[in-house]
Amino acid sequence: MTHPDTADSKPAMMDDLTRAYQRIAELEKELSQLRQRYGIDSRPPGSASDSSQTRPKVTSVGSWEYAVEPDELFWTSQIKAIHEVPLDYEPTLTSALGFFAPDSAEAAKTAFEQVLLGQSFDMEAQIVTFTGRTIWVRVIGNAKVRAGKVVKVYGAMQDIDARKQVEEALSVSEAQLRELIRYVPIAIAMLDDQMRCLHVNDRWLETYNLVGQNIIGKSYYEIFPTLGDEWRAIHQLCLQGEISRRERDAFPRADGGIDWVRWEMRPWYRRENEVGGLLIYSEIITERIKMLDDLAAAKQNLSAVINNTADSIWSVGRDYRVITINEPFRESFHKVYGIALNTGDYILDKLGPEQEAEWRGFYERALLGETFKVEKHYTAPDLRFEIFTEIAFNPIRNEPGQVTGVAVYSRDITERKKAEQALRTREAQLAEMVRSLPTAVAMFDKDMRYLHASPVWYSSYHLPDRDVTGKSHYEVFPEIGDDWKQLHQRCLRGEINRSEREPFVRADGSLDWLRWEVRPWYSQPHEVGGLLMYTEIITSRINDEDVLRRSEALLNATQRMARVGGWEFDLRDNELLWTSETKNIHEVEPDYQPALVSALNFYIPDHEPIIRRAMNDASSGKPFDLELQLVTAKGRRIWVRVAGETEFEDGKPIKIYGALQDIDDRKRAENAIRESQQQLASTSNNIPGAIYRVIIHDPHLWTIDYMSEGIFKMAGVSAQEVVEDVQAFIRQLHPDDVEGFLDSLRTVRDRNGTIWYYEGRLIHRVTGQIKWWQGRSILAELGDGRIVFNGVLLDITDTRETEAKLRQSEAKLREAEAVAHIGNFEFDLTSLEIIWSDEMYHLFGLEVGSKMTLPLFRSLIPAEDYPALAEGLIHSRESGDAYRVEHRAILPDGSHRHLYTIGQPIADHTGKVVKVFGTSQDMTERKTAEAERERLLARTELLYQISQALNQVHHESDLVNQLGKALDGYDVNIINLLRLDEEGVEQVSTLELVATWARDGRPIVPFGSRFPASRFTFIESILRHPLEPRVFDIDRHPALDDNTRGFLQKLGDRTLVNIPLRLSGHWVGVILLLWHDLHVPSDDELAIYRTLPALISPIADNIRLVRNLEETVRELNQSLLFKDQFLATMSHELRTPMNAIMGYSSIALQREGVPDTVRNMLQRVLVNSDRLLRLITDILDISRINAGRVQLVHDPYSLHKLVKGWVQDFSRPIAEKGLIFQFDMDESLPVTAVGDEERITQIANNLLSNAIKFTDEGKIGLYVKRAGDKLVIRVTDTGIGIPQTYQHLIFEEFRQVDMTPERRHGGTGLGLAIVQKLCILMGGTVVVESEVGKGSTFTVTLPLQTPNSEGEGDSHG
Amino acid sequence: MANTPLKGWTVLVVDDEYDSRMVAEIMLEDAGARVVTAMNGREALDRLRQEKPRFILSDLSMPVMDGWQLMAELNDNRATAAIPVIALTAHAMVGDRERALAAGFRNHITKPLSADKFMTQLLAILEDQPEFSGSFE
């Protein structure tokens, strides 16, 4: 805390001093010379001290003088130095007062007014120096009075800034300490509203010397009979809700002494607003008070010493003899070394060997010209306090600059050092205190910056591993609202605010209950230094309705928390010592004498070996810390924490010290927590469904924020999948539910209620099972417009199914009730008497009330059904179980009725079955209905099978085959389809298949392709006059003519069924079904035959369509083939004569001796032949492309090689025409691409040829680039260009811009058409940009596929 | 012609069309080869009884025996199977070349021929074939 500038102001001072010393030295030299010359004796006594008194006082003290008349103020240079003004500064009274800091200005002014009235002053004030520093100064003023009037004021000013700052910091830190101690709970007593003791803690008992006494229930005034009325008044006030406290109160001790006590008294509340009694906290602070007093006393002593110790100044020459010395130094020297030091003495030999070496070093450094400072620390034997000095060494130089001696200036800095030390101690204490506090406490300065915070504060406010010291509270918690800021401001003005319970919503949305208190702390008696905040999370406790019980729990916990006992085991004599707390924990009597064996026996059998081993280990030096269970003397089983550590003496273990703590509650709590966690886990695992958290961001966006793994069981998707993508969830919704579900989310905002509810189905992704689920959530707004809902996605499939089953069985029951006639009967097994209800008679068709006997009953049951009834009855009688029998009843008309009888045996008190009660139910209708239903089902099933089979028919040949399979159950032998035309009956050729042929291995006997209808009149008639399906006995039926009958008999057929077949609304023929044996189709079977044409009809249509389609395709293929062949022939036939023309011409050109004219002509022949050849190729190409006969190949090729090939091919023709060829290829293009190399080349060739053709000067450019997944080929020229109006025409076939017969440029006009068609074929484009006279640019963009990207490209497609 | 790369070689040219045969013959002779000609596959086979050409240039579409049949015959006979045959044809449609190669022709040159292009093409083909390489001066 050294003021940084105090040292800096020294050099100026030291310069003065040094100059003064030099002058003195010179004067003294002159003097001695004069003395020698005039023979005067050496120095008279006291001359040294005289000279020292004339020297200016070199401290940070200056003097001032003020003359009233005229109004003049005089400052010494020191005062100017303190004010940091230039030496030529001339102060006035006003300007001088202006230096005082605003806080001190008033006091200074008042003081000065007072001094002018004759009153002296001595004040500490702050001034702002010329350079703007604010420093503490001490100002003294004394009035000089002459003739009753103040004429002058003499004064002094001292710079005390460094000391002041240290003192200030010290007092602040002490105030912090004082405030914090309040929160250390010491002695606590709880009283009820009649002032009876409900609870006290151990410390309280100890404090009031009441250990061992039972004071619970006793009146406070009975315990403390000396308490006077003033106390009763305080108690009454507290019971009315006030809080009283005293920071320091005298408390008479039993031994007559006085203890200082700090106490606080506050009401506790049984319920809201109902005071249950008082809580008294008190703490004996005698020790601390004494300490503070001691400290104060020490300080006084110290200041006394300091006051007596002024700055020391001395100087020595090169011979280490003292040149000058002032009184304070003489005194100090004497104090420290016990020797009087005088001028001219050799200074070093007085210091002792150690000091001598050190000091010699200092002087030598200074004598070598160094200016420096050291700090020294002395502990004088005769002083109670140590002295710190700051010593400045300055060389003394003579006129030529040689060092003649050392000037030393020593300043006592003991007080500053002490204060600094005390501050460090206090701050360490404070930090330690805060660290050890078990509650959340934080201390702030006036600007709400953290000074200290306890670890609990860090953990409570989720500030792990962050040091907030020095940070603003509002910066750490930006969410703190204005109401809190205002409250803080009020507290900084002195208010204390607290809340016993306050809800606190955390950033994560969770709610905690807090008890908090915010209060100011004082750095000075009336100056708030900042805030102290105390919070405690009481969420768990707040839930308890009874505040009393809460307090009790708190008290008990507090007490138990303190239950730590000590023990000591002496390894030398095996003696075990227990402290009283250890005995308390063991619940033994206070005079219990433990031994090691008996002590270990307290532990439960499982843990006894553990502690025994630990003790063994400890006796060889290994410390232990265990949590174990022991059984107390009272039989309670509790958890304790037991720790031990070994003490050694001369390397040998001598003792084990240990501690024992009752941690039963904690253990129990831990176990409870573990249990409840397990419960939670098992609960969430056992929930038939999943827990979710859904956030709706806006009506169109929602996400699943959380989903438990239960979703997998429901939908076969993992929780992670649905959290990452809601679609994963939506995909598993039943298709019919999706829209409704999404709608329910969309309309969540519009709902009046706050509950979202949805029921629907999920389809399990793996098993395909349909699960019913139900979601029910309470909606909550997140505040930013989003809505969140948590809930459980419940599997209600079982419920749904049960409901469905229930509904079914209910329906059944109702049906039964409606339909069934149920009769009751009673059969006495002893008397064999039978009693029937009316309905029973109805069931048997008998007259109600007629006498029923066993023989009669027996006659009413068919003989074959009776044994079952008798057996059931016997079984029931023996086992006591009910019997159920289906049997018939013979009605009077001889018909039968199906009955279902249930008999319930009834036992008497001995357990013997004596009676049977029962019901009989009419089953006839049900039986009939069941049979009918089964029949219908079978028919439906068959029809379904047939239609399934027919669905697979795509061709006539399949029709009969499939039909045969479908009708297999009817054992049909042959199926034939016949049709009639003008020439006779035709058996459709493809229907020669016989369904059972493969099975029977019978050879197919065909009808022959055609036979005259006239000879087979039966066939003709069923064809001409289609009838409903009928059955014909081939041997007997008169409708059959002899030819037909004979033919079929030859085939071995016995039965025939005709099925007229109508297809597309026309009778087309008849299906004949033939059987080997006499087959009588049932009604159902006939019904199926009747249905067959309807089933076949659409299939026949399909067959026809397919057949037509196939024919068309065949024809098309044929014509395409012809076209291809034609084109191939054309190509061949054109190329053959071209071969002769070009061949001969080229050979002739190579011959020697051909005249130039001929050579030219031959060359023209070749050029024109080339053109003709190109035309042929182009025409063939375009017609093939137009016919869609171009098959693109899709092979890998080297792109670089390909493009290089183009360059090679075109370099020459371009150069020959005198054009420049510019070429550039993208380096990023892949080496290998996939596609039709030849066709791409064709495109490039056409474009480049075109460019050359239309360009007479300038340049041709070929640029091959990559643009994403596209290949871009750009061909530019500087040719004639294409007018805007023609640009859209150039890609048309046979188009050129110049269509006149005299057009200059040859060519077919097919090139660009081919380019465009090929581009389109490859999935690309070609575009042209052109300007007449400037040139054209053709840009071809094709998909760029590489061997790797191929699959990728396809998936995009 | 100073440039006679095929000097000392015998080449069989098979083509039914007179001009085509002549053009090929002259071009090959200009390159220094001795040329033997045939009008169809049958004649070619006859020629091969006396001649041992280094390679054969054959048209595909010919009467009596076409190029395809000739190729098949040559392949069937051990004595002739090793003689390289190059198709020389006016069949220039896509796929013609592939069909020829599949049938056993070593290569496929399309008509019309012009002297310099033909020789360039032919020499390139010959260079590519291992049985020709290094054989000509």
Side-chain angles (χ1 to χ4, degrees), chain A residues 15 72 125 161 214 300 315 372 444 478 561 619 641 661 689 700 740 855 912 995-996 1125 1162 1215 1272 1322:
Chain A
D15 281 351
E72 258 177 17
D161 194 52
N214 185 13
Q300 262 171 10
S315 62
F372 61 97
F444 302 89
M561 286 239 321
S619 58
R641 178 176 166 192
Q661 187 181 9
H700 304 290
K912 191 182 151 202
T996 52
Q1125 277 170 357
L1162 287 170
V1272 179
M1322 291 183 198

Side-chain angles (χ1 to χ4, degrees), chain A residues 72 84 147 205 216 228 235 309 328 335 371 482 538 627 709 777 893 951 1010 1059 1070 1092 1137 1149 1166 1182 1186 1286:
Chain A
E72 258 177 17
E84 297 184 310
L205 292 173
I216 302 302
H235 294 156
T309 314
K335 266 181 200 158
T371 303
D482 284 340
I538 50 165
E627 290 187 357
E709 283 304 335
S777 302
D893 64 358
N951 269 337
R1010 200 175 284 279
I1059 304 171
V1070 63
L1092 273 180
L1149 257 177
L1166 276 178
I1182 202 97
N1186 282 348
Y1286 289 106

Side-chain angles (χ1 to χ4, degrees), chain A residues 1148-1257:
Chain A
L1149 257 177
Q1150 288 188 344
R1151 289 289 142 95
E1152 286 162 22
V1154 180
D1156 280 353
T1157 45
V1158 179
R1159 188 176 292 274
N1160 277 344
M1161 282 185 263
L1162 287 170
Q1163 235 144 18
R1164 292 316 301 164
V1165 170
L1166 276 178
V1167 167
N1168 282 288
S1169 302
D1170 261 332
R1171 198 191 281 174
L1172 181 59
L1173 190 64
R1174 172 159 221 99
L1175 174 66
I1176 296 163
T1177 318
D1178 282 355
I1179 289 174
L1180 291 177
D1181 263 336
I1182 202 97
S1183 42
R1184 283 170 65 84
I1185 292 168
N1186 282 348
R1189 302 296 285 171
V1190 170
Q1191 298 273 314
L1192 290 175
V1193 299
H1194 208 63
D1195 294 331
Y1197 63 92
S1198 163
L1199 190 56
H1200 287 256
K1201 219 165 125 188
L1202 180 75
V1203 178
K1204 292 268 154 61
W1206 304 343
V1207 175
Q1208 220 163 29
D1209 288 351
F1210 283 91
S1211 292
R1212 225 178 88 191
I1214 290 171
E1216 276 171 2
K1217 215 178 167 184
L1219 302 172
I1220 299 161
F1221 189 20
Q1222 277 193 342
F1223 162 68
D1224 187 31
M1225 183 170 179
D1226 224 333
E1227 285 305 317
S1228 67
L1229 279 164
V1231 176
T1232 307
V1234 173
D1236 197 326
E1237 188 180 6
E1238 261 182 57
R1239 294 298 177 184
I1240 297 171
T1241 299
Q1242 199 178 349
I1243 291 170
N1245 282 351
N1246 278 333
L1247 291 178
L1248 285 166
S1249 305
N1250 244 26
I1252 297 169
K1253 195 194 297 172
F1254 292 106
T1255 307
D1256 289 334
E1257 55 183 346

